[in-house]
Amino acid sequence: MKTLLSALALVFVCLPVFPLGAGEDGLVTRPSKHSVTETMTKLEAAIAESGDFGVLYKVDHAAAAAKAGNPLKPMQVVFFGNPKAGSVLQAASPTIGLDLPMRALVWEDASGKVFVTVNSAAWLMGRHGLKDKAEAIAKLDARLGGFVQKATE
């Protein structure tokens, strides 16, 4: 029994941050130990530190909603990308331009818990007919997973 539990623990530790089964909608959501602001700061730093991805812009949905008189819980989206890699994907399937640059939503639920949600690369590639790019998909999902992990721990 001890061996079985050790093996199961090893499997869970070795699983990628974004398992292939992200769900039919392609959304991958992870809880954060931090506020929306702190999670976003850590996420932006992780993206910038990567060296090949850059933060392009950020949208504060809660601030915009407040100006419109519709209060929301804290909610921000960061848009980020790698133009060299993204342009190759867009040349192969122009419709992926609807989903690029990549983005991550950092949000707080009604109970005050904070989460980060992204689209899985596997889902995006499938959506745009790029399923044949298995190596690129795995690398991108791993990168996204790393960004989210750094932001939420």
Side-chain angles (χ1 to χ4, degrees):
M1 183 67 168
K2 220 178 202 185
T3 305
L4 176 61
L5 290 175
S6 296
L8 285 174
L10 182 61
V11 166
F12 284 110
V13 168
C14 293
L15 281 175
V17 174
F18 293 100
L20 293 177
E24 282 186 37
D25 61 4
L27 296 177
V28 180
T29 300
R30 298 289 182 259
S32 177
K33 297 177 182 178
H34 314 287
S35 69
V36 167
T37 301
E38 188 175 353
T39 301
M40 182 59 76
T41 298
K42 291 170 70 86
L43 180 59
E44 289 177 288
I47 292 165
E49 289 168 4
S50 74
D52 54 351
F53 280 81
V55 172
L56 302 172
Y57 52 95
K58 186 168 65 173
V59 175
D60 186 335
H61 287 297
K67 287 180 184 176
N70 298 318
L72 288 175
K73 288 285 198 178
M75 182 184 306
Q76 298 178 13
V77 178
V78 62
F79 292 79
F80 59 96
N82 175 329
K84 184 176 180 182
S87 60
V88 170
L89 294 173
Q90 289 175 339
S93 179
T95 61
I96 201 165
L98 287 169
D99 291 312
L100 294 180
M102 301 295 296
R103 60 207 67 169
L105 173 68
V106 181
W107 55 283
E108 182 181 303
D109 72 6
S111 68
K113 293 179 184 171
V114 174
F115 300 89
V116 177
T117 301
V118 297
N119 285 314
S120 78
W123 181 82
L124 286 175
M125 300 303 174
R127 178 178 187 201
H128 298 286
L130 296 169
K131 291 181 184 179
D132 62 327
K133 307 239 183 261
E135 187 176 329
I137 291 168
K139 285 181 181 178
L140 183 53
D141 269 339
R143 295 304 298 275
L144 290 171
F147 297 157
V148 172
Q149 188 172 17
K150 286 180 179 181
T152 58
E153 292 184 343

